[in-house]
């Protein structure tokens, strides 16, 4: 293992891999990025846990894994483990050819279950025999624990589906899902409610997800991002709060993170562009009625007083032609709203 000491000096630790296990990071009360669908390597050296990052290489210096840190749901502790270099290889090969990675995904979260559990769920003896003939050192199968909202797989795949095969190949490990990165359509056989189903599932292109951000009343608004879509079954609006600044009107009047805005002053706001048009007509030092939905799908109505002097409404839009890749725009400030009142 090659890493760096606290003084910035290169450091080499001789170690061996003891096992490879699936990593499981529980969901947090509010949406946040977390590691899913990953198998990590456990090392026999306790010294490795003293370092946050590193590269695992063989005797010839070839990279085998990345030593990395996974955050947990409560942010009070971290999990350190080695992630196989095979995980990033599909993107790495494209970057070597000077191509921008355009990968696709099923957008599902899976966990490993035993063959015995699959049998109790209705897996046939014929399937068990076929799985036993596959060359795999794992005695398990993959069960779907979640399907990302708004993805192409949503409505086709369901929670608790057990994946039997993809494009005719048996699925035993998380690595068997790598076929999703390069295929637009997958033929999947799943076990659902003790019945085998053959499904055609369209994958979704992995993109940057966030192309526009609006700062309004001290809160950050954006379209539902991946961490949100992974943890909700229903998307009530395309306007989602992701962060709130202390001392802002949004904080003062009770707006909470992971909050969906559905209406402003009685007007529907299904997306960020509509929200921008609606709030651009709101004068300074006036109360605005905001109707929305909490992350637990509880309706909420709030009255928030605007203060453009300290908290102007601005936006950032992704623009490749700009110097830093983003274009800034002022939507509402004191000068503009004073002219509106006149």
């Amino acid at each position: 293992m090659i890493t760096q000491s606290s003084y910035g000096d290169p450091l080499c630790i001789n170690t061996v891999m003891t096992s490879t296990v699936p990593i499981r990071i529980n969901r947090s009360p509010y949406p946040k990025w977390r590691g899913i669908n990953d198998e990590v390597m456990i090392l026999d050296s306790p010294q490795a846990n003293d370092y946050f990052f590193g590269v695992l290489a063989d005797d010839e210096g070839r990279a085998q894994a990345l030593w990395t840190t996974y955050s947990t749901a409560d942010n009070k502790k971290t999990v350190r483990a080695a992630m196989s270099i095979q995980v990033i290889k599909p993107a790495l090969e494209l970057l070597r050819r000077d191509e921008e990675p355009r990968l696709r995904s099923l957008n599902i979260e899976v966990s490993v279950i035993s063959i015995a559990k699959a049998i109790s769920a209705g897996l046939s003896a014929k399937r068990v025999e076929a799985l036993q003939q596959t060359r795999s050192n794992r005695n398990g199968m993959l069960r779907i624990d979640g399907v990302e909202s708004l993805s192409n797989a949503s409505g086709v795949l369901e929670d608790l589906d057990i994946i039997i095969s993809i494009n005719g190949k048996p699925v035993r490990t998380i690595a068997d899902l790598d076929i999703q990165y390069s295929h637009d359509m997958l033929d999947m056989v799943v076990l659902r409610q003790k019945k085998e189903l053959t499904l055609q599932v369209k994958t979704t292109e992995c993109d940057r997800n966030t192309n526009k951000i609006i700062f309004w009343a001290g809160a950050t608004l954006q379209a539902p991002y991946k961490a949100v879509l992974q943890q909700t079954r229903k998307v009530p609006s395309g306007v989602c709060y992701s962060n709130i600044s202390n001392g802002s009107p949004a904080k003062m009047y009770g707006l909470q993170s992971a909050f969906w805005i559905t209406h402003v002053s009685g007007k529907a706001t299904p997306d960020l562009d509509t929200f921008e048009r609606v709030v651009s007509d709101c004068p300074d030092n006036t109360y605005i009625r905001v109707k929305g939905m909490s992350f637990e799908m509880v309706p909420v109505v709030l009255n928030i007083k605007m203060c453009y002097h300290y908290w102007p409404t601005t936006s950032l839009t992704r623009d490749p032609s700009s110097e830093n890749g983003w274009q800034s725009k002022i939507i509402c400030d004191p000068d503009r709203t004073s002219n509106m009142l006149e």
Side-chain angles (χ1 to χ4, degrees), residues 177-211:
L177 296 178
D178 289 352
I179 191 175
Q180 65 184 315
Y181 299 135
S182 57
H183 287 72
D184 294 341
M185 189 74 68
L186 296 174
D187 294 324
M188 300 182 61
V189 178
V190 301
L191 182 65
R192 180 187 302 170
Q193 297 180 355
K194 296 189 175 183
K195 295 181 180 179
E196 286 191 13
L197 301 177
T198 301
L199 306 172
Q200 282 194 326
V201 186
K202 186 177 181 180
T203 57
T204 304
E205 184 177 354
C206 302
D207 57 16
R208 292 184 175 134
N209 203 244
T210 298
N211 295 307

Short mmCIF file of all heavy atoms in Angstrom, two decimals, residues 177-211:
data_model
loop_
_atom_site.label_atom_id
_atom_site.label_comp_id
_atom_site.label_asym_id
_atom_site.label_seq_id
_atom_site.Cartn_x
_atom_site.Cartn_y
_atom_site.Cartn_z
N LEU A 177 -22.81 -6.80 -12.48
CA LEU A 177 -23.67 -5.70 -12.93
C LEU A 177 -22.92 -4.73 -13.85
O LEU A 177 -23.53 -3.82 -14.41
CB LEU A 177 -24.20 -4.91 -11.72
CG LEU A 177 -25.14 -5.65 -10.76
CD1 LEU A 177 -25.52 -4.72 -9.62
CD2 LEU A 177 -26.38 -6.14 -11.48
N ASP A 178 -21.62 -4.93 -14.03
CA ASP A 178 -20.83 -3.99 -14.85
C ASP A 178 -21.30 -3.93 -16.30
O ASP A 178 -20.99 -2.97 -17.01
CB ASP A 178 -19.34 -4.38 -14.81
CG ASP A 178 -18.72 -4.10 -13.45
OD1 ASP A 178 -19.40 -3.48 -12.61
OD2 ASP A 178 -17.56 -4.51 -13.23
N ILE A 179 -22.06 -4.92 -16.73
CA ILE A 179 -22.55 -4.93 -18.10
C ILE A 179 -23.47 -3.73 -18.36
O ILE A 179 -23.66 -3.31 -19.50
CB ILE A 179 -23.29 -6.26 -18.37
CG1 ILE A 179 -23.58 -6.43 -19.85
CG2 ILE A 179 -24.56 -6.35 -17.54
CD1 ILE A 179 -24.19 -7.77 -20.20
N GLN A 180 -24.04 -3.16 -17.30
CA GLN A 180 -24.97 -2.05 -17.45
C GLN A 180 -24.30 -0.79 -18.01
O GLN A 180 -24.97 0.04 -18.64
CB GLN A 180 -25.59 -1.70 -16.08
CG GLN A 180 -24.60 -1.18 -15.07
CD GLN A 180 -25.20 -0.94 -13.71
OE1 GLN A 180 -26.28 -0.37 -13.59
NE2 GLN A 180 -24.50 -1.38 -12.66
N TYR A 181 -23.00 -0.64 -17.81
CA TYR A 181 -22.32 0.60 -18.18
C TYR A 181 -22.28 0.83 -19.69
O TYR A 181 -22.17 1.98 -20.13
CB TYR A 181 -20.89 0.61 -17.64
CG TYR A 181 -20.80 0.53 -16.14
CD1 TYR A 181 -19.90 -0.34 -15.51
CD2 TYR A 181 -21.62 1.30 -15.33
CE1 TYR A 181 -19.83 -0.42 -14.13
CE2 TYR A 181 -21.56 1.22 -13.95
CZ TYR A 181 -20.66 0.35 -13.36
OH TYR A 181 -20.59 0.27 -11.99
N SER A 182 -22.36 -0.22 -20.47
CA SER A 182 -22.16 -0.10 -21.92
C SER A 182 -23.36 -0.57 -22.75
O SER A 182 -23.23 -0.74 -23.95
CB SER A 182 -20.92 -0.91 -22.34
OG SER A 182 -21.06 -2.27 -21.95
N HIS A 183 -24.52 -0.76 -22.12
CA HIS A 183 -25.69 -1.24 -22.86
C HIS A 183 -26.88 -0.30 -22.65
O HIS A 183 -27.16 0.11 -21.51
CB HIS A 183 -26.07 -2.65 -22.41
CG HIS A 183 -25.14 -3.72 -22.90
ND1 HIS A 183 -23.86 -3.87 -22.40
CD2 HIS A 183 -25.30 -4.70 -23.86
CE1 HIS A 183 -23.27 -4.89 -23.02
NE2 HIS A 183 -24.12 -5.40 -23.90
N ASP A 184 -27.59 0.01 -23.73
CA ASP A 184 -28.79 0.84 -23.63
C ASP A 184 -29.98 0.04 -23.11
O ASP A 184 -30.85 0.59 -22.43
CB ASP A 184 -29.15 1.42 -25.00
CG ASP A 184 -28.10 2.41 -25.50
OD1 ASP A 184 -27.33 2.91 -24.66
OD2 ASP A 184 -28.07 2.67 -26.71
N MET A 185 -30.02 -1.24 -23.45
CA MET A 185 -31.13 -2.10 -23.05
C MET A 185 -30.59 -3.42 -22.52
O MET A 185 -29.63 -3.97 -23.08
CB MET A 185 -32.07 -2.35 -24.23
CG MET A 185 -33.36 -3.04 -23.88
SD MET A 185 -34.53 -1.95 -23.04
CE MET A 185 -34.96 -0.82 -24.38
N LEU A 186 -31.19 -3.91 -21.46
CA LEU A 186 -30.76 -5.17 -20.86
C LEU A 186 -31.95 -6.12 -20.76
O LEU A 186 -33.06 -5.71 -20.41
CB LEU A 186 -30.19 -4.93 -19.45
CG LEU A 186 -28.92 -4.08 -19.36
CD1 LEU A 186 -28.56 -3.83 -17.90
CD2 LEU A 186 -27.75 -4.74 -20.08
N ASP A 187 -31.69 -7.38 -21.07
CA ASP A 187 -32.69 -8.43 -20.88
C ASP A 187 -32.42 -9.07 -19.52
O ASP A 187 -31.39 -9.73 -19.32
CB ASP A 187 -32.59 -9.49 -21.98
CG ASP A 187 -32.96 -8.92 -23.34
OD1 ASP A 187 -33.87 -8.07 -23.40
OD2 ASP A 187 -32.33 -9.32 -24.34
N MET A 188 -33.35 -8.88 -18.58
CA MET A 188 -33.15 -9.34 -17.22
C MET A 188 -34.20 -10.38 -16.85
O MET A 188 -35.37 -10.27 -17.23
CB MET A 188 -33.21 -8.16 -16.23
CG MET A 188 -32.16 -7.09 -16.47
SD MET A 188 -32.22 -5.76 -15.26
CE MET A 188 -31.89 -6.65 -13.73
N VAL A 189 -33.75 -11.40 -16.12
CA VAL A 189 -34.66 -12.38 -15.53
C VAL A 189 -34.61 -12.17 -14.02
O VAL A 189 -33.54 -12.23 -13.41
CB VAL A 189 -34.25 -13.82 -15.88
CG1 VAL A 189 -35.20 -14.81 -15.22
CG2 VAL A 189 -34.25 -14.02 -17.39
N VAL A 190 -35.77 -11.88 -13.42
CA VAL A 190 -35.83 -11.62 -11.99
C VAL A 190 -36.87 -12.55 -11.35
O VAL A 190 -37.78 -13.05 -12.03
CB VAL A 190 -36.18 -10.15 -11.69
CG1 VAL A 190 -35.15 -9.21 -12.31
CG2 VAL A 190 -37.58 -9.81 -12.19
N LEU A 191 -36.71 -12.74 -10.07
CA LEU A 191 -37.67 -13.53 -9.29
C LEU A 191 -38.49 -12.55 -8.45
O LEU A 191 -37.93 -11.82 -7.63
CB LEU A 191 -36.93 -14.51 -8.39
CG LEU A 191 -37.79 -15.44 -7.53
CD1 LEU A 191 -38.61 -16.38 -8.41
CD2 LEU A 191 -36.93 -16.23 -6.56
N ARG A 192 -39.80 -12.53 -8.70
CA ARG A 192 -40.70 -11.61 -8.00
C ARG A 192 -41.94 -12.35 -7.52
O ARG A 192 -42.65 -12.95 -8.33
CB ARG A 192 -41.09 -10.45 -8.91
CG ARG A 192 -42.02 -9.42 -8.28
CD ARG A 192 -42.48 -8.39 -9.31
NE ARG A 192 -41.35 -7.70 -9.92
CZ ARG A 192 -41.48 -6.90 -10.98
NH1 ARG A 192 -42.66 -6.73 -11.55
NH2 ARG A 192 -40.41 -6.30 -11.49
N GLN A 193 -42.14 -12.35 -6.23
CA GLN A 193 -43.29 -13.02 -5.64
C GLN A 193 -43.40 -14.48 -6.11
O GLN A 193 -44.45 -14.95 -6.56
CB GLN A 193 -44.59 -12.25 -5.96
CG GLN A 193 -44.62 -10.86 -5.37
CD GLN A 193 -45.89 -10.10 -5.70
OE1 GLN A 193 -46.73 -10.58 -6.46
NE2 GLN A 193 -46.03 -8.92 -5.12
N LYS A 194 -42.24 -15.16 -6.06
CA LYS A 194 -42.11 -16.58 -6.37
C LYS A 194 -42.37 -16.91 -7.84
O LYS A 194 -42.65 -18.06 -8.18
CB LYS A 194 -43.02 -17.41 -5.47
CG LYS A 194 -42.66 -17.32 -3.99
CD LYS A 194 -43.43 -18.32 -3.15
CE LYS A 194 -42.94 -18.26 -1.70
NZ LYS A 194 -43.60 -19.27 -0.86
N LYS A 195 -42.30 -15.88 -8.70
CA LYS A 195 -42.46 -16.09 -10.13
C LYS A 195 -41.28 -15.48 -10.88
O LYS A 195 -40.81 -14.39 -10.54
CB LYS A 195 -43.76 -15.47 -10.64
CG LYS A 195 -45.02 -16.10 -10.07
CD LYS A 195 -46.26 -15.43 -10.63
CE LYS A 195 -47.54 -16.06 -10.07
NZ LYS A 195 -48.76 -15.38 -10.61
N GLU A 196 -40.81 -16.20 -11.90
CA GLU A 196 -39.74 -15.67 -12.74
C GLU A 196 -40.33 -14.77 -13.82
O GLU A 196 -41.30 -15.14 -14.49
CB GLU A 196 -38.94 -16.80 -13.38
CG GLU A 196 -38.02 -17.52 -12.43
CD GLU A 196 -37.06 -18.45 -13.15
OE1 GLU A 196 -36.96 -18.34 -14.39
OE2 GLU A 196 -36.43 -19.30 -12.48
N LEU A 197 -39.73 -13.59 -13.98
CA LEU A 197 -40.18 -12.64 -14.98
C LEU A 197 -39.02 -12.28 -15.89
O LEU A 197 -37.89 -12.07 -15.42
CB LEU A 197 -40.72 -11.37 -14.33
CG LEU A 197 -41.91 -11.52 -13.36
CD1 LEU A 197 -42.26 -10.16 -12.76
CD2 LEU A 197 -43.11 -12.12 -14.07
N THR A 198 -39.28 -12.21 -17.18
CA THR A 198 -38.28 -11.76 -18.14
C THR A 198 -38.62 -10.32 -18.54
O THR A 198 -39.72 -10.06 -19.07
CB THR A 198 -38.25 -12.66 -19.38
OG1 THR A 198 -37.95 -14.00 -18.98
CG2 THR A 198 -37.19 -12.18 -20.37
N LEU A 199 -37.71 -9.41 -18.26
CA LEU A 199 -37.98 -7.99 -18.46
C LEU A 199 -36.93 -7.36 -19.36
O LEU A 199 -35.76 -7.74 -19.33
CB LEU A 199 -37.98 -7.25 -17.10
CG LEU A 199 -38.89 -7.80 -16.01
CD1 LEU A 199 -38.61 -7.08 -14.70
CD2 LEU A 199 -40.36 -7.65 -16.40
N GLN A 200 -37.35 -6.40 -20.14
CA GLN A 200 -36.44 -5.55 -20.89
C GLN A 200 -36.34 -4.22 -20.15
O GLN A 200 -37.33 -3.50 -20.02
CB GLN A 200 -36.93 -5.34 -22.32
CG GLN A 200 -36.67 -6.50 -23.25
CD GLN A 200 -36.85 -6.15 -24.70
OE1 GLN A 200 -37.69 -5.34 -25.06
NE2 GLN A 200 -36.05 -6.76 -25.57
N VAL A 201 -35.14 -3.91 -19.69
CA VAL A 201 -34.94 -2.73 -18.86
C VAL A 201 -33.99 -1.77 -19.58
O VAL A 201 -32.87 -2.15 -19.94
CB VAL A 201 -34.36 -3.10 -17.48
CG1 VAL A 201 -34.30 -1.87 -16.59
CG2 VAL A 201 -35.19 -4.19 -16.83
N LYS A 202 -34.44 -0.55 -19.78
CA LYS A 202 -33.61 0.47 -20.41
C LYS A 202 -32.75 1.15 -19.36
O LYS A 202 -33.25 1.55 -18.31
CB LYS A 202 -34.47 1.50 -21.13
CG LYS A 202 -33.68 2.52 -21.94
CD LYS A 202 -34.60 3.47 -22.68
CE LYS A 202 -33.79 4.47 -23.51
NZ LYS A 202 -34.67 5.41 -24.25
N THR A 203 -31.47 1.26 -19.61
CA THR A 203 -30.57 1.93 -18.68
C THR A 203 -30.66 3.45 -18.84
O THR A 203 -31.19 3.95 -19.83
CB THR A 203 -29.12 1.48 -18.90
OG1 THR A 203 -28.75 1.74 -20.26
CG2 THR A 203 -28.97 -0.01 -18.61
N THR A 204 -30.13 4.17 -17.87
CA THR A 204 -30.15 5.63 -17.87
C THR A 204 -28.73 6.16 -17.96
O THR A 204 -27.83 5.65 -17.28
CB THR A 204 -30.81 6.16 -16.59
OG1 THR A 204 -32.14 5.60 -16.46
CG2 THR A 204 -30.93 7.68 -16.62
N GLU A 205 -28.52 7.15 -18.79
CA GLU A 205 -27.19 7.72 -18.93
C GLU A 205 -26.79 8.45 -17.66
O GLU A 205 -27.58 9.21 -17.07
CB GLU A 205 -27.13 8.69 -20.12
CG GLU A 205 -25.74 9.24 -20.37
CD GLU A 205 -25.66 10.14 -21.58
OE1 GLU A 205 -26.68 10.26 -22.30
OE2 GLU A 205 -24.59 10.73 -21.82
N CYS A 206 -25.57 8.23 -17.21
CA CYS A 206 -25.04 8.91 -16.03
C CYS A 206 -24.58 10.31 -16.45
O CYS A 206 -23.67 10.44 -17.27
CB CYS A 206 -23.87 8.13 -15.43
SG CYS A 206 -24.29 6.44 -14.96
N ASP A 207 -25.21 11.34 -15.90
CA ASP A 207 -24.83 12.70 -16.25
C ASP A 207 -24.43 13.46 -14.99
O ASP A 207 -24.36 12.90 -13.90
CB ASP A 207 -25.98 13.42 -16.98
CG ASP A 207 -27.27 13.44 -16.16
OD1 ASP A 207 -27.20 13.17 -14.95
OD2 ASP A 207 -28.33 13.73 -16.72
N ARG A 208 -24.20 14.75 -15.15
CA ARG A 208 -23.75 15.57 -14.03
C ARG A 208 -24.90 15.91 -13.09
O ARG A 208 -24.68 16.48 -12.03
CB ARG A 208 -23.10 16.85 -14.56
CG ARG A 208 -21.79 16.58 -15.28
CD ARG A 208 -21.15 17.86 -15.71
NE ARG A 208 -19.83 17.62 -16.29
CZ ARG A 208 -19.41 18.16 -17.42
NH1 ARG A 208 -20.20 18.97 -18.09
NH2 ARG A 208 -18.21 17.91 -17.87
N ASN A 209 -26.13 15.66 -13.50
CA ASN A 209 -27.30 15.73 -12.64
C ASN A 209 -27.75 17.16 -12.33
O ASN A 209 -28.90 17.49 -12.46
CB ASN A 209 -27.05 14.96 -11.34
CG ASN A 209 -28.34 14.52 -10.67
OD1 ASN A 209 -28.63 14.97 -9.59
ND2 ASN A 209 -29.11 13.68 -11.32
N THR A 210 -26.85 18.02 -11.89
CA THR A 210 -27.20 19.38 -11.53
C THR A 210 -26.67 20.36 -12.57
O THR A 210 -25.46 20.48 -12.75
CB THR A 210 -26.64 19.74 -10.13
OG1 THR A 210 -27.22 18.87 -9.15
CG2 THR A 210 -26.96 21.18 -9.78
N ASN A 211 -27.58 21.06 -13.23
CA ASN A 211 -27.20 22.02 -14.26
C ASN A 211 -27.60 23.45 -13.90
O ASN A 211 -27.19 24.39 -14.58
CB ASN A 211 -27.83 21.65 -15.60
CG ASN A 211 -27.31 20.33 -16.14
OD1 ASN A 211 -26.10 20.14 -16.25
ND2 ASN A 211 -28.21 19.42 -16.47
#
